[in-house]
Amino acid sequence: MKYFDHAAATPPYEDVVRTVAEVMAAHYGNPSSLHKLGEESGRLLIKAREVCAAALGVKPGEIIFTSGATESNNLAVKGAAMRYAGRGRHLITTQVEHPSVWECYVQLEKQGWEVTFLPVDKNGQISVQDGLDAVRKDTVLLSVMHVNNETGCIQPVEELGRRLKKEHPRVIFHVDGVQGFGKVPLSLMDSGIDLYSLSAHKLRGPRGAGLLMVREGLSLVPLMSGGGQEDSLRPGTENIPAVVGMAKAIRLAKEGEQQRAGKLNALRKQLIQGLAAWPELIVHSGEAVAPHIVHFSYPGMKAEAFLHMLEEQGFLVSTKSACSSKKAEPSRVLLAMGAGKAEAESGVRISLAEEHTAGDIQELLAAIGKSVDRVRRLKGEN
């Protein structure tokens, strides 16, 4: 089977697997314990925090370790809203956020907060000016993802963040960086980003590990009660093996960012050009798209059926976000982009990685062609 679903989860680096196993076997002490084993684990925790901070260009004290981006996004959105509720009760996000951000805002809206959901154009991108115009005196928080997890659309977070901090410095800016880090360059310091979420298993790291960058001077209300770990924002004994494995994966992702993007862009271009052979397929591709995601729709064909046709031929792809792919409903992202119901129900996502080759793309295109021919026969078009 050839795996083309790297936006959902990535196979971990062999180096990361070895590191996690070694740390799990040798460093099982609680980092909060005062004895030797605890101190050794504590030093590993400090080092991992330093490595992650260096890769993100921030201070070690600004890194909070979590169980993944879902927890990081929840802590960022709810934690900031609750902490700064005295400033107002207005929040801003986009119509195309990942469910772990979207559902936070929906929940807060039900609790009495007023939420502005920014629209997107046909390519899935927001307008910077729309974001700025939506800010009011009582606005507390603005969340915009860096790269859309379904279509790969890159949001203008750099320009938005810079202008937001200049024009509305009290508004907190949160960015979900899960699909962008290691593939699309972004300077957190130069973009006015206050809160930034990452997940290790999207970066060839272990599952169950993530982080939230919390800008120095900003405080959040913790979502859980317990000990004082992670600056009292994330109580519970730290998962040292996973945290160390994540730090290594983040470092490797950052170091290979430029070379990886160049290769992925070439593969993506090849795939896009190949898909043009079938006029039935609607490719969702604007000018600003991440190099590892290709997304298309086949109106009139259920995405799950097309996915399984490709799986039968040895290719694993996805439909929409892995977190919502089992829900039998049209893609919220595609609907926001102006797609009709048939198009929004038939989206297929192909996500690439550096181990893929031009030959792999040709084989995948051949399988897509066979699947399209099969659908045509089923619809009586041939």
Side-chain angles (χ1 to χ4, degrees), residues 280 298 300-301 309 371-382:
E280 301 95 326
Y298 191 168
M301 181 67 192
M309 287 182 189
S371 299
V372 171
D373 289 340
R374 183 176 172 185
V375 174
R376 286 172 175 172
R377 290 194 299 271
L378 291 171
K379 296 171 69 174
E381 295 177 357
N382 277 1

Side-chain angles (χ1 to χ4, degrees), residues 205-326:
R207 295 185 186 184
L211 65 79
L212 177 65
M213 187 284 293
V214 182
R215 183 67 64 204
E216 188 176 55
L218 195 67
S219 63
L220 304 173
V221 172
L223 303 184
M224 298 184 290
S225 301
Q229 296 92 342
E230 298 305 301
D231 200 22
S232 296
L233 284 177
R234 208 282 180 171
T237 303
E238 293 92 345
N239 185 346
I240 299 301
V243 164
V244 173
M246 175 174 65
K248 176 164 284 191
I250 285 178
R251 177 178 61 80
L252 293 172
K254 186 62 178 178
E255 289 175 352
E257 184 177 68
Q258 186 173 357
Q259 182 179 2
R260 181 181 305 108
K263 180 174 183 180
L264 292 176
N265 271 315
L267 294 174
R268 186 180 186 280
K269 182 179 179 180
Q270 178 189 356
L271 183 53
I272 292 288
Q273 291 175 341
L275 291 173
W278 302 286
E280 301 95 326
L281 306 183
I282 301 173
V283 179
H284 305 107
S285 177
E287 294 182 2
V289 183
H292 66 301
I293 294 178
V294 174
H295 190 279
F296 65 87
S297 292
Y298 191 168
M301 181 67 192
K302 290 292 185 182
E304 294 82 358
F306 201 84
L307 179 152
H308 291 306
M309 287 182 189
L310 291 177
E311 185 174 11
E312 289 171 2
Q313 299 176 71
F315 297 89
L316 302 176
V317 300
S318 186
T319 54
K320 43 189 174 179
S321 163
C323 296
S324 57
S325 61
K326 293 184 178 180

Side-chain angles (χ1 to χ4, degrees), residues 7-314:
T10 56
Y13 289 114
E14 291 183 7
D15 229 11
V16 169
V17 173
R18 285 193 295 269
T19 296
V20 170
E22 291 169 2
V23 173
M24 186 176 292
H27 300 281
Y28 47 85
N30 189 317
S32 297
S33 295
L34 299 180
H35 50 63
K36 182 180 179 181
L37 278 177
E39 290 175 350
E40 289 175 351
S41 292
R43 284 193 289 271
L44 287 176
L45 186 65
I46 291 171
K47 181 61 177 177
R49 204 181 306 277
E50 291 173 346
V51 170
C52 291
L56 269 63
V58 300
K59 300 176 182 178
E62 295 177 319
I63 299 295
I64 302 298
F65 291 125
T66 68
S67 63
T70 290
E71 181 184 349
S72 295
N73 285 332
N74 273 260
L75 177 58
V77 174
K78 297 175 184 176
M82 289 187 286
R83 176 63 72 193
Y84 296 100
R87 295 182 180 178
R89 301 279 290 182
H90 179 238
L91 310 168
I92 306 171
T93 191
T94 81
Q95 295 179 351
V96 295
E97 294 299 304
H98 185 274
S100 61
V101 171
W102 173 269
E103 294 296 338
C104 285
Y105 280 93
V106 170
Q107 185 178 19
L108 289 169
E109 190 175 40
K110 292 177 180 177
Q111 294 174 358
W113 290 78
E114 187 175 350
V115 182
T116 297
F117 293 95
L118 299 174
V120 296
D121 62 20
K122 63 180 182 179
N123 295 318
Q125 194 173 65
I126 65 166
S127 158
V128 170
Q129 194 59 52
D130 283 351
L132 296 171
D133 289 345
V135 176
R136 310 182 326 202
K137 290 183 179 180
D138 60 341
T139 301
V140 173
L141 175 69
L142 168 59
S143 288
V144 179
M145 69 194 323
H146 186 198
V147 172
N148 187 268
N149 53 294
E150 288 188 36
T151 66
C153 175
I154 301 173
Q155 299 294 354
V157 295
E158 292 171 291
E159 181 185 355
L160 177 58
R162 286 195 296 266
R163 292 186 59 185
L164 183 70
K165 288 305 170 185
K166 182 179 180 180
E167 300 175 27
H168 308 284
R170 283 170 57 86
V171 177
I172 300 164
F173 189 34
H174 166 236
V175 171
D176 176 350
V178 169
Q179 294 295 342
F181 185 82
K183 304 175 186 72
V184 182
L186 176 66
S187 170
L188 304 191
M189 289 296 295
D190 297 334
S191 304
I193 297 172
D194 299 303
L195 299 163
Y196 182 79
S197 310
L198 280 186
S199 185
H201 79 105
K202 309 289 190 178
L203 303 167
R204 296 185 178 273
R207 295 185 186 184
L211 65 79
L212 177 65
M213 187 284 293
V214 182
R215 183 67 64 204
E216 188 176 55
L218 195 67
S219 63
L220 304 173
V221 172
L223 303 184
M224 298 184 290
S225 301
Q229 296 92 342
E230 298 305 301
D231 200 22
S232 296
L233 284 177
R234 208 282 180 171
T237 303
E238 293 92 345
N239 185 346
I240 299 301
V243 164
V244 173
M246 175 174 65
K248 176 164 284 191
I250 285 178
R251 177 178 61 80
L252 293 172
K254 186 62 178 178
E255 289 175 352
E257 184 177 68
Q258 186 173 357
Q259 182 179 2
R260 181 181 305 108
K263 180 174 183 180
L264 292 176
N265 271 315
L267 294 174
R268 186 180 186 280
K269 182 179 179 180
Q270 178 189 356
L271 183 53
I272 292 288
Q273 291 175 341
L275 291 173
W278 302 286
E280 301 95 326
L281 306 183
I282 301 173
V283 179
H284 305 107
S285 177
E287 294 182 2
V289 183
H292 66 301
I293 294 178
V294 174
H295 190 279
F296 65 87
S297 292
Y298 191 168
M301 181 67 192
K302 290 292 185 182
E304 294 82 358
F306 201 84
L307 179 152
H308 291 306
M309 287 182 189
L310 291 177
E311 185 174 11
E312 289 171 2
Q313 299 176 71

Side-chain angles (χ1 to χ4, degrees), residues 310-362:
L310 291 177
E311 185 174 11
E312 289 171 2
Q313 299 176 71
F315 297 89
L316 302 176
V317 300
S318 186
T319 54
K320 43 189 174 179
S321 163
C323 296
S324 57
S325 61
K326 293 184 178 180
K327 295 181 179 180
E329 56 189 31
S331 164
R332 169 173 50 81
V333 172
L334 294 183
L335 291 175
M337 291 165 58
K341 185 171 182 289
E343 186 178 335
E345 288 178 335
S346 60
V348 174
R349 181 184 69 186
I350 298 169
S351 41
L352 310 169
E354 57 263 42
E355 70 263 24
H356 290 136
T357 65
D360 293 330
I361 301 300
Q362 284 304 117

